[in-house]
Amino acid sequence: MADDYDTGDMFQDPEGFYPPEKEPTFAEHRMLSGDVVRVRLVGSHPLYGNMLWNAGRISSDYIETNAPTLITGKDVLEIGAAAGVPSIVSAIKGARTTVMTDYPDLDLVDNMQQNADAAKPAVPIGSSLHVTGYQWGSDVEPLKTYIPEESRAEGFDVLIMADVVYSWREHPNLIKTMQETMKRTKDAVALVIFTPYQPWLLPQTQKFFPLAEQSGFTVTKVFEKLTEKVLFEDDPGDEILRRTVFGYELRWNDDQLR
């Protein structure tokens, strides 16, 4: 009787039924030193691992400019790294530990790992660059295991958060991650850098900062840079805002220090 119900290839999608996945592309970031960081981008991805964002480039320049006091010898965590250029630049500039993270999606994490592996020849001895998936607001203990044991309980000196605060529904989870990963020291800092690609949502994005202040942080605006062109040419909204990268440093209030 089973043969009477043989469906053959009835449920097999015909060849070409689905469009082929886009092939990965590559992008370059020229450091201020003149060295070039070349990264692989996911061909097409709903979490935007397929782009090198302006905030990532400007974050990398800021890190490089301030590396002697900000990065060298420090433990660094990047949240929402995508291709991971700021993490790579941090490692190249001598961070003791750099942990590159993004949403725990196989393609995103594999792509970050490929970029980290390609950058390793430029990373000096004594610096380490790691990759892992991480969902904002979840358990941070696995992230801390990458820090050398003598400093592990204290957390990270620097958090890099480039183009993550656009997701205003995730603000509480971002704050929670900051509170649980950032060292409770005067010099510890979170770099929050973003561009309002959708300017009409800027008021929602900016709600992150009063929430951070209510959660024990001091917020300081450190720069506002105008890029040469917009990242998405066909998008609506104020072009100047879509070309602008805003940079903030968040540090613990004095009453939160240990």
Side-chain angles (χ1 to χ4, degrees):
M1 293 291 293
D3 291 342
D4 294 339
Y5 296 95
D6 183 9
T7 59
D9 293 332
M10 180 185 297
F11 297 110
Q12 182 174 336
D13 294 321
E15 185 175 351
F17 183 80
Y18 293 109
E21 291 187 8
K22 292 183 179 179
E23 292 295 321
T25 57
F26 293 83
E28 292 185 346
H29 170 74
R30 183 170 294 277
M31 295 177 60
L32 302 176
S33 65
D35 294 332
V36 174
V37 174
R38 188 171 188 262
V39 291
R40 179 183 185 269
L41 306 175
V42 180
S44 179
H45 200 280
L47 295 177
Y48 309 111
N50 60 327
M51 303 196 69
L52 188 52
W53 299 81
N54 287 335
R57 292 185 184 276
I58 300 299
S59 298
S60 300
D61 289 346
Y62 189 79
I63 286 165
E64 188 176 358
T65 300
N66 296 281
T69 55
L70 181 68
I71 295 294
T72 304
K74 304 293 181 66
D75 297 315
V76 178
L77 170 67
E78 183 172 9
I79 299 169
V85 171
S87 287
I88 291 169
V89 171
S90 295
I92 290 172
K93 298 307 293 184
R96 180 174 70 165
T97 308
T98 306
V99 183
M100 183 193 306
T101 76
D102 209 318
Y103 188 80
D105 170 270
L106 182 61
D107 290 338
L108 283 177
V109 175
D110 176 69
N111 194 70
M112 289 191 298
Q113 188 62 62
Q114 291 192 48
N115 290 337
D117 291 343
K120 281 182 180 177
V123 175
I125 295 173
S127 297
S128 61
L129 176 58
H130 308 276
V131 170
T132 191
Y134 176 71
Q135 184 169 351
W136 305 339
S138 61
D139 183 13
V140 302
E141 292 308 310
L143 302 178
K144 292 182 179 180
T145 61
Y146 295 103
I147 301 173
E149 189 173 359
E150 67 272 15
S151 308
R152 190 169 298 162
E154 299 176 42
F156 292 89
D157 300 285
V158 181
L159 307 185
I160 303 170
M161 303 167 62
D163 271 341
V164 297
V165 293
Y166 73 89
S167 183
W168 59 270
R169 292 181 181 85
E170 289 292 323
H171 287 175
N173 283 329
L174 287 169
I175 296 291
K176 180 175 182 287
T177 296
M178 291 170 58
Q179 290 174 320
E180 295 179 356
T181 58
M182 193 165 133
K183 276 186 179 178
R184 298 259 179 170
T185 61
K186 187 174 183 179
D187 293 332
V189 61
L191 305 178
V192 179
I193 298 172
F194 71 96
T195 293
Y197 299 106
Q198 298 174 308
W200 58 93
L201 296 179
L202 182 57
Q204 295 281 18
T205 300
Q206 290 175 321
K207 288 181 179 180
F208 175 82
F209 298 105
L211 179 61
E213 290 173 334
Q214 294 166 21
S215 303
F217 296 96
T218 297
V219 176
T220 304
K221 186 176 181 180
V222 290
F223 66 78
E224 182 175 321
K225 294 183 180 294
L226 189 65
T227 60
E228 291 184 6
K229 58 182 181 180
V230 296
L231 194 59
F232 304 102
E233 293 183 358
D234 297 330
D235 275 4
D238 186 283
E239 181 178 328
I240 296 299
L241 278 176
R242 291 189 292 126
R243 289 170 52 198
T244 303
V245 181
F246 297 92
Y248 294 80
E249 288 189 352
L250 276 65
R251 300 179 186 270
W252 287 111
N253 292 339
D254 287 344
D255 62 359
Q256 300 291 321
L257 300 177
R258 292 175 184 166

